[in-house]
Amino acid sequence: MVKNTYGTQVKFLGGNNENRIGANSILIEHSEQGKKTTRVMIDSGSLFAPDYSEYAAVFADMSSYFENPYHPCEYPVDALFITHCHEDHIGALAYFAVAKYKLPKIYTSEYTKDMILSQMKKLNVPQEFIPEIEIVSQGQTVDASDNTHVSPFSVSHSTHSALGFHIHTTTDGQTNAGLLCTGDYHLDKVPFGKCFEEESFAKFISDKPVTHILTDSTSATMDESQTVTCEQAVDNVVRELEKHPEKQVFAPVISRSVQNLAIHLKAAYLLGRHALIISPALRDSYNILRKRLKDNDPELLKMFGVKEGEEFDIDSFVHTANNNADIQNLTNKYPYGKRYFIHSGAMGEETSLLAVLAGQNKVTYDEKGKVKGKGLSGHPVLTVDTNSVFIISQRAIPGISDVSLPIYLNKLQAIGATVIKNGDTPDQKFQRSGHANKAEVQKLYDLTVQYCANTKQIQDGTQKVTVVAIHGSVEQLEAQNQIFENKHVQTMLCRNTDILRITNGNTKQILGLSFENQSWIGIEKHSMSGYGVDDVFSFDVCDKNFMKIDNLFTVINISTSANPHAHKENSYRVAKALETALKLEEEGTFMSNIQIRNQVRGDKRGRVIEEYSYEDLEELRNTHSKPRKKNYRRGYDGR
Ligand SMILES: [Zn+2]
Ligand SMILES: [Zn+2]
């Protein structure tokens, strides 16, 4: 007998991973008797993959939710809402579009729309697969159906115009669930763009019932003393750099952290230096910011302290460089004390300018000295010396940059450069965390229950609000629940593939219902440079570090069309899979088998065309892989 699932189901597709942050995606399904099920999705991001992985992007398989001409879609999503433009929230979209999935209509802010489209352009997404994107802002409501209504609200974050969403589902016209999904947020002012404002949020939530708050926990381990406002960050950067007036400044910035880019631009402005932007991804972010300044965006002008009627020309002190000749021109023009380079490397990327400057880049060159594949073209015109100062805003991120970043910084110091790191002293805080600290998590909850439509019922105890931690490591998720523990607020800790089933505001949590069915897609770095668009879509990785499918290491070919390379590529894939498998085993992760699957038209899960047990690894190693390390120890006990 099929169980009645009328009501609202919240499915955690990604984002609540055990030990690697990212790939955020939540599916909200609402079913009412006699009506078609409505499905809305919040975000479709990719994981932050470590450098050693062979993957440019790893994300949850959404092929059951997005339409594809070759595959009938089991659970089509009616509308897709994107909170902001960070990779961990949008990173999967362009790849699905490239693989000819017809993405649902997207609702997001203007800035995020620009970033999604620019990513699709980079991947050469065919025009017919570019999704329709509607710009929404606080004050609007999107009716995904007559019983599912989604309303965006502004939040503060490290990028521009981030949104949270309130999702209201009804049964027989009565509230079934009121979900407040924060996305990545904090509550402070930001240098520019829309941000969270207490008063307007109170007004926003006043006509909306709230039964659940799904809230970002990424900084829930931090208390107020550990974070600074953006304005304080600018002051701190300026104060530190004033100590080095004769030196050239280098500042690595995460490309999508426009707020941090803005902090450095303002610091350059106040210091009378010329900001030289020399990474392609940062240039994209900057160009959007520049366009807004040229249109006299009042918020942005305010950020630079420009008074009404005053002249302000961003081009007078910010310059972008597209190639080495541009950099050469700029360095000829401006002496050390005027230079303020803003560039890549904040995430410890091995192809970043930071790695290049530290002499640690792994970019390879062909005989003519041209860079193979994608990556930086090297910067022979830039040299690090004792008159160089590096201002490092981004803390090393566990599992992502905590190995590479310290190596680069040590190398730079060895060359004689000055390195000033965020957090070196209590005053040295150079960026506002993009995420809510303990006090902010508490405050958003307080504001919500104080002003929402069902405040009275919450206060008299006839209704309760459940807080669900999303987007964080286990430690962060738990830290967030801790905040509410003594306050008699119900909390839930959800993992990927868990489901919350909500009927009349009451929640039943179903643990890992579809656990064994969820597959993940990985886009191989090599496939990005070596092959055409059709071949980009060739891989899935599932390793334990990424997504904890117990003891299973899988490679899935999910080509959407017959791929002529597929067969001859298989041996390469096995070799690659083994390489990663060996690395993981050395780190203490074990796995039981490897699967090579080939997905053909109409065959949703993919057919396993090759499968290897652990015992086969030895043999495979000899046929496919480099000789294994001598001290390799088999860390698997058969279970
Ligand atoms: Zn973010
Ligand atoms: Zn995020």
Side-chain angles (χ1 to χ4, degrees), residues 321-507:
N322 294 309
N323 49 45
N324 285 335
D326 288 352
I327 298 172
Q328 186 75 69
N329 283 339
L330 290 167
T331 49
N332 287 344
K333 216 158 155 189
Y334 305 111
Y336 271 38
K338 289 286 174 199
R339 297 176 189 168
Y340 198 125
F341 296 106
I342 302 176
H343 56 88
S344 59
M347 302 274 277
E349 305 95 317
E350 62 188 17
T351 53
S352 65
L353 181 67
L354 190 71
V356 174
L357 293 173
Q360 297 294 298
N361 61 312
K362 292 191 182 149
V363 175
T364 49
Y365 300 88
D366 64 18
E367 321 75 66
K368 289 181 185 147
K370 237 187 119 212
V371 171
K372 282 191 205 164
K374 297 196 173 176
L376 277 177
S377 52
H379 288 275
V381 292
L382 283 180
T383 41
V384 178
D385 53 24
T386 51
N387 280 322
S388 304
V389 55
F390 285 79
I391 185 128
I392 310 296
S393 305
Q394 179 68 47
R395 283 168 210 265
I397 305 168
I400 296 165
S401 59
D402 55 346
V403 177
S404 54
L405 199 55
I407 292 174
Y408 302 160
L409 300 184
N410 281 342
K411 294 279 174 187
L412 291 167
Q413 277 171 316
I415 300 168
T418 306
V419 175
I420 311 169
K421 287 204 306 294
N422 191 48
D424 271 356
T425 74
D427 291 342
Q428 289 176 345
K429 296 200 184 80
F430 307 132
Q431 80 176 31
R432 157 74 235 216
S433 159
H435 305 271
N437 58 33
K438 278 193 174 83
E440 288 170 304
V441 169
Q442 174 71 53
K443 189 171 173 190
L444 185 72
Y445 173 85
D446 290 344
L447 286 172
T448 304
V449 298
Q450 186 181 347
Y451 293 109
C452 67
N454 51 329
T455 294
K456 214 177 142 293
Q457 289 86 332
I458 296 168
Q459 276 163 358
D460 68 22
T462 52
Q463 276 179 17
K464 57 175 177 272
V465 172
T466 304
V467 179
V468 184
I470 51 170
H471 195 358
S473 63
V474 174
E475 187 199 357
Q476 290 158 341
L477 297 170
E478 279 170 355
Q480 174 160 292
N481 281 354
Q482 202 69 42
I483 298 171
F484 296 101
E485 191 146 86
N486 303 322
K487 299 176 197 295
H488 307 289
V489 177
Q490 180 168 304
T491 58
M492 278 182 186
L493 197 70
C494 297
R495 301 283 158 84
N496 291 345
T497 74
D498 281 359
I499 295 177
L500 298 183
R501 192 169 285 168
I502 306 163
T503 324
N504 295 326
N506 296 317
T507 322

Side-chain angles (χ1 to χ4, degrees), residues 21-22 24 48 83-84 86 88-89 157 183-184 216 218 435 471:
I21 287 179
N24 293 281
F48 290 124
T83 58
H84 66 287
H86 284 152
D88 56 326
H89 300 262
H157 189 38
D184 291 6
D216 166 22
T218 321
H435 305 271
H471 195 358

Side-chain angles (χ1 to χ4, degrees), residues 174-195:
Q174 301 297 309
T175 292
N176 186 67
L179 310 161
L180 190 77
C181 296
T182 65
D184 291 6
Y185 79 104
H186 66 79
L187 305 182
D188 269 341
K189 276 215 197 90
V190 295
F192 77 100
K194 291 203 178 91
C195 66

Side-chain angles (χ1 to χ4, degrees), residues 264-301:
H264 284 291
L265 292 181
K266 179 152 187 200
Y269 180 63
L270 293 176
L271 290 162
R273 285 176 180 260
H274 287 263
L276 312 172
I277 300 174
I278 44 181
S279 115
L282 269 166
R283 275 203 308 272
D284 283 357
S285 296
Y286 171 68
N287 284 335
I288 291 165
L289 196 150
R290 179 176 177 273
K291 187 173 164 283
R292 265 151 225 254
L293 267 168
K294 292 279 171 194
D295 295 342
N296 291 319
D297 180 324
E299 295 277 347
L300 261 178
L301 290 172

Side-chain angles (χ1 to χ4, degrees), residues 18 21 55 73 84 105 131 145 154 189 204 211-212 215 269 285 350 420 432 496 578:
E18 302 238 346
I21 287 179
Y55 304 94
C73 177
H84 66 287
K105 185 172 173 183
S145 66
S154 285
K189 276 215 197 90
F204 165 83
T211 57
H212 295 74
T215 168
Y269 180 63
S285 296
E350 62 188 17
I420 311 169
R432 157 74 235 216
N496 291 345
L578 279 166

